[in-house]
Amino acid sequence: MSVRDLVVLGSASAVPTKSRNHNGYLLRWDGHGLLFDPGEGTQRQMAFAGVTATDVTWICVTHFHGDHCLGVPGIVQRIARDGVEHRVDAAFPASGAEYWERLRYATPFRGTEVIKEQPVSGERMRLDTGDAPFSLTARRLSHPVEAYGYRLEEPDGVTMKPGVLAARGVRGPLVRRLQEEGAVVAPDGRTVTLAECSVRRPGQKVAFIMDTRLCDGVHELAADADLLIIESTFLDQDAALAAGYGHLTARQAGEVAAAAGVRRLVLTHISERYRMEDELRFVEQAAAAYSGDIVLVHDLDRVVMPPRRRG
């Protein structure tokens, strides 16, 4: 059975707390597992979440601040130790290749050749996803060190109309041929097209945006996303700190979601300066700008994709 959800392995910002581990997000997508920003402790969090190294098919690092990458050595070693045989692609800023090298080979251990590196550079870059049922694009963001966000897109498909198919005498193997070829000749000799027997099924989209100020890249990544996973490190009262350190506030995250037509907004990367009783304010401030579905995540939460848009 296909699964599409986000497993939250950690949701803190620079400093982990008693209730929030360093970053770590596993997006499960029809048998693929995209592990974003594995921070310190991610390997143990995976055990608590009931996911394993064999679930990982991508490692995507947004930038090389420690809370977004210090878990890489453990993940790489676990992939090797568990004998993962499938290819695992690794995306990271090309400018930080030296840091990636240090992390990948941080200690002596049995190596693995399944990890294939795809360094990211330029303003935007489309990654090679092979025969995966999605595309993956990286877009430069605005942070004190070079940082990228990621956008996953499923191509549009079609939903067949059973009643129309029956009325035109298209059934059995002819339905598959119609989907593959775009037109078939029905038993009565009429040519039947795919367009008349189906409706467009919009592909789903996920945006992953970590440490950044507001910039063009944020809006480009978030546009029309079904699920937007975005940092909301600060509250309004600390907006000046957010701008200075290259971060977003919860209200800014809500503004991005509203402008982009996002369907589900996931707030994360919460600063250690705030207490548990402050958490409702993150949702309230995001909701002041965005009227859609808002989820302020905690470690080990699972966030499902919203229902598919109608064509």
Side-chain angles (χ1 to χ4, degrees), residues 8-307:
V8 180
L9 303 170
S11 55
S13 58
V15 177
T17 68
K18 291 181 179 179
S19 59
R20 294 185 182 275
N21 197 65
H22 262 173
N23 290 281
Y25 310 88
L26 181 67
L27 178 64
R28 301 193 298 174
W29 193 278
D30 295 353
H32 295 259
L34 294 87
L35 178 60
F36 293 97
D37 282 1
E40 183 180 352
T42 295
Q43 186 180 182
R44 189 162 186 260
Q45 293 291 94
M46 289 172 68
F48 285 125
V51 296
T52 69
T54 58
D55 295 315
V56 177
T57 57
W58 280 83
I59 301 171
C60 298
V61 176
T62 60
H63 65 292
F64 285 104
H65 279 155
D67 53 320
H68 296 263
C69 66
L70 285 176
V72 168
I75 296 300
V76 170
Q77 291 181 39
R78 190 58 179 269
I79 288 170
R81 179 185 176 90
D82 289 2
V84 172
E85 296 181 349
H86 61 251
R87 171 171 171 153
V88 178
D89 287 274
F92 54 86
S95 61
E98 177 184 358
Y99 299 111
W100 170 262
E101 191 80 1
R102 292 177 190 172
L103 291 164
R104 180 172 177 177
Y105 302 105
T107 66
F109 65 97
R110 184 180 64 171
T112 175
E113 300 301 318
V114 302
I115 297 177
K116 308 300 180 184
E117 298 167 357
Q118 293 200 45
V120 175
S121 60
E123 284 300 307
R124 65 181 60 78
M125 177 175 163
R126 183 159 176 162
L127 298 159
D128 180 7
T129 55
D131 60 358
F134 55 79
S135 64
L136 188 63
T137 304
R139 179 67 164 86
R140 192 190 298 253
L141 298 174
S142 174
H143 197 52
V145 300
E146 189 168 56
Y148 286 85
Y150 295 93
R151 178 180 172 92
L152 179 149
E153 290 191 48
E154 175 191 34
D156 289 346
V158 296
T159 299
M160 305 304 291
K161 299 177 179 179
V164 177
L165 290 169
R168 284 159 175 72
V170 178
R171 56 179 58 86
L174 277 180
V175 176
R176 173 62 63 86
R177 280 188 55 199
L178 179 61
Q179 292 173 320
E180 294 175 348
E181 301 175 14
V184 295
V185 177
D188 64 3
R190 290 185 298 169
T191 297
V192 180
T193 66
L194 181 61
E196 64 187 286
C197 297
S198 66
V199 294
R200 174 177 166 267
R201 185 187 67 205
Q204 293 190 305
K205 304 173 181 66
V206 178
F208 184 83
I209 300 172
M210 283 295 116
D211 302 17
T212 184
R213 303 175 184 88
L214 286 177
C215 63
D216 290 344
V218 169
H219 296 288
E220 186 176 312
L221 289 164
D224 202 31
D226 296 275
L227 190 69
L228 170 61
I229 305 137
I230 189 168
E231 67 126 315
S232 55
T233 310
F234 292 98
L235 292 171
D236 276 353
Q237 69 203 46
D238 297 312
L241 284 176
Y245 287 119
H247 285 290
L248 298 174
T249 66
R251 185 183 299 271
Q252 288 174 321
E255 291 169 348
V256 169
V262 166
R263 301 183 62 218
R264 180 162 293 157
L265 171 62
V266 176
L267 304 177
T268 188
H269 198 270
I270 307 302
S271 171
E272 76 279 4
R273 71 180 55 244
Y274 303 111
R275 298 169 297 180
M276 289 290 292
E277 53 264 38
D278 294 321
E279 290 196 346
L280 182 59
R281 296 170 62 199
F282 283 86
V283 176
E284 291 173 342
Q285 291 184 8
Y290 172 69
S291 60
D293 185 18
I294 301 174
V295 181
L296 174 66
V297 295
H298 299 85
D299 290 10
L300 308 182
D301 280 354
R302 293 179 185 244
V303 183
V304 299
M305 289 292 295

